Amino acid sequence: MAVREAPVDLPGMQPSRGQPFGVYVHVPFCITRCGYCDFNTYTPAELGGVNPDAWLQALRMELELAAARLDAPPVDTVFLGGGTPSLLGGERLTTLLNMVREHFVLAPGAEITTEANPESTWPEFFEAIRGAGYTRVSLGMQSVAPRVLATLDRVHSPGRSVAAAREAMAAGFEHVSLDLIYGTPGETDDDLLRSVEAAIESGVDHLSAYALVVEEGTALARRVRRGELSAPDDDVLAHRYELLDTRLAEAGLTWYEVSNWSRPGGECRHNLGYWDGGQWWGAGPGAHGYIGTTRWWNVKHPNAYAQLLAEATLPVADFEQLGAEALHTEEVLLKTRLRQGLPLDGLDDAERERAKAVVADGLLVPDGDRLVLTPRGRLLADAVVRTLLG
């Protein structure tokens, strides 16, 4: 679908009752751009007029406009992603959460998460945001191997991620997550296992691990194209996944989504909402939202975002209405990736027949009225979905 010029008015829509409802806030600021990253982020040199305080004012207006048009249920989860939300500091993150509270009602026991980079956190930061009501922190660790961090253009020291996780727990956070990347050129099995061991020993209750993807337009892609680095090898990625999954299982962290492991009760409820049919308002530059059958996305650049909101206009770049076929495809795609599995009653007759072949291949296993990926099936999750959908 071609992107139209903003402003674009969203159609009328209301959240469906009985489904999780969340608020996602995209914080677009980073000090430096990591070589592998293609997220909608901006360094200070790339921003003309929008600083964090001006961005916060624009965000306040978006939340006000969103609340005015929605009969929203209580918010079950809030998630600050980026970018580097921790660059805002404790005071601004407190202000941001209070802005959400000002315009939406938080459900009792709401999960409130912020992503953070280890180099922009310190004990007082964690104490401030815990006191403000944040309940969960997700820290970008990537690796403890210096050469891997250097290849990824990460600026934190190898031990800083674990130290930051412990500072967060000392400040009262029960739920702390570390993110790993595996398959970086030059990484060894030992590099990965040392990173996994460090994450386990830190005491966190959640770990995410993602295979490195070389995204077009990134510095990493240019280095691979020039032959300076080798592209990740699929067989190596599969082997690394098996290594980390085995070690995490031994340590009591169980997979609940293909790329996510947790101790009991440590699952990220906000992300489960994405995967299991929840709805959310996406606020901030480039943020995506999904309510009813409408998906939309905001204009990307913080300056354009702020300009539209200065005119009390929602900063929507475009939207799409999902029909029955698209909704079914997404349900199969997302629920197949979950440990709870794909409900059989959501498949048509032809898909059930194809599912029998996938089960015979050892990629899915029946579990009551659901189909769950086997360990080998998790390595081939995308192929499983393609086979099921035909």
Side-chain angles (χ1 to χ4, degrees):
M1 175 183 295
V3 176
R4 301 185 296 243
E5 291 294 322
V8 172
D9 191 26
L10 287 175
M13 57 188 186
Q14 289 299 330
S16 302
R17 300 290 164 166
Q19 293 180 325
F21 182 73
V23 173
Y24 171 77
V25 178
H26 185 74
V27 182
F29 307 110
C30 282
I31 291 295
T32 61
R33 186 180 303 283
C34 298
Y36 62 93
C37 179
D38 73 336
F39 294 164
N40 187 45
T41 62
Y42 301 85
T43 64
E46 295 168 329
L47 289 173
V50 176
N51 58 38
D53 292 317
W55 171 81
L56 269 176
Q57 290 306 310
L59 178 68
R60 182 189 299 275
M61 176 56 70
E62 184 181 3
L63 294 173
E64 180 179 334
L65 293 173
R69 69 176 295 149
L70 293 179
D71 179 20
V75 173
D76 299 296
T77 62
V78 178
F79 194 104
L80 275 60
T84 311
S86 49
L87 282 178
L88 296 177
E91 184 175 347
R92 289 194 187 97
L93 287 184
T94 298
T95 297
L96 194 159
L97 182 54
N98 286 337
M99 285 162 43
V100 174
R101 290 191 180 107
E102 180 183 347
H103 298 295
F104 293 90
V105 175
L106 297 187
E111 176 193 84
I112 304 168
T113 303
T114 184
E115 292 181 342
N117 277 1
E119 71 275 9
S120 57
T121 63
W122 54 96
E124 293 78 10
F125 166 82
F126 291 118
E127 291 167 6
I129 63 171
R130 183 69 190 96
Y134 288 83
T135 66
R136 189 174 180 278
V137 173
S138 180
L139 289 156
M141 179 181 186
Q142 294 14 313
S143 177
V144 298
R147 62 170 168 266
V148 173
L149 294 174
T151 300
L152 296 173
D153 294 326
R154 297 291 292 185
V155 297
H156 63 79
S157 62
R160 178 57 199 150
S161 299
V162 167
R166 289 174 173 155
E167 289 167 2
M169 289 182 283
F173 281 95
E174 295 180 16
H175 302 301
V176 180
S177 178
L178 289 169
D179 291 355
L180 292 178
I181 290 178
Y182 60 93
T184 301
E187 179 192 65
T188 65
D189 288 355
D190 185 60
D191 289 333
L192 175 63
L193 288 173
R194 286 191 296 111
S195 299
V196 172
E197 205 62 43
I200 292 169
E201 290 177 359
S202 74
V204 299
D205 67 344
H206 189 283
L207 190 136
S208 300
Y210 304 101
L212 179 67
V213 176
V214 180
E215 301 285 1
E216 283 302 316
T218 62
L220 180 63
R222 292 190 289 273
R223 295 183 69 188
V224 169
R225 191 165 51 248
R226 291 194 297 262
E228 298 174 15
L229 297 172
S230 299
D233 179 88
D234 288 343
D235 290 337
V236 171
L237 293 176
H239 174 62
R240 298 269 162 79
Y241 182 91
E242 291 171 334
L243 285 177
L244 69 90
D245 179 57
T246 298
R247 183 64 192 100
L248 290 173
E250 291 171 350
L253 286 102
T254 304
W255 79 281
Y256 69 96
E257 192 273 341
V258 168
S259 298
N260 290 272
W261 294 256
S262 75
R263 301 188 190 281
E267 300 88 349
C268 178
R269 289 163 46 197
H270 186 85
N271 286 342
L272 277 171
Y274 293 153
W275 299 318
D276 201 25
Q279 301 170 100
W280 67 95
W281 187 278
H288 286 57
Y290 175 67
I291 290 177
T293 60
T294 302
R295 177 187 288 115
W296 74 95
W297 46 97
N298 284 346
V299 296
K300 285 189 170 184
H301 201 283
N303 290 337
Y305 172 81
Q307 288 166 7
L308 286 167
L309 285 161
E311 301 166 2
T313 300
L314 280 173
V316 177
D318 207 350
F319 67 90
E320 60 182 345
Q321 300 280 73
L322 301 183
E325 183 177 351
L327 289 169
H328 176 68
T329 296
E330 292 210 350
E331 180 178 26
V332 173
L333 172 67
L334 296 173
K335 291 191 176 181
T336 297
R337 295 180 62 87
L338 291 172
R339 174 63 184 86
Q340 67 192 44
L342 176 68
L344 274 167
D345 62 10
L347 301 178
D348 62 29
D349 291 342
E351 290 165 344
R352 288 193 187 97
E353 284 302 312
R354 289 193 287 268
K356 291 178 182 178
V358 180
V359 170
D361 286 341
L363 304 180
L364 285 172
V365 62
D367 185 1
D369 60 354
R370 294 174 178 261
L371 295 171
V372 177
L373 290 168
T374 64
R376 191 165 72 89
R378 279 187 271 158
L379 299 174
L380 300 167
D382 292 343
V384 169
V385 170
R386 288 194 298 270
T387 300
L388 291 174
L389 293 173

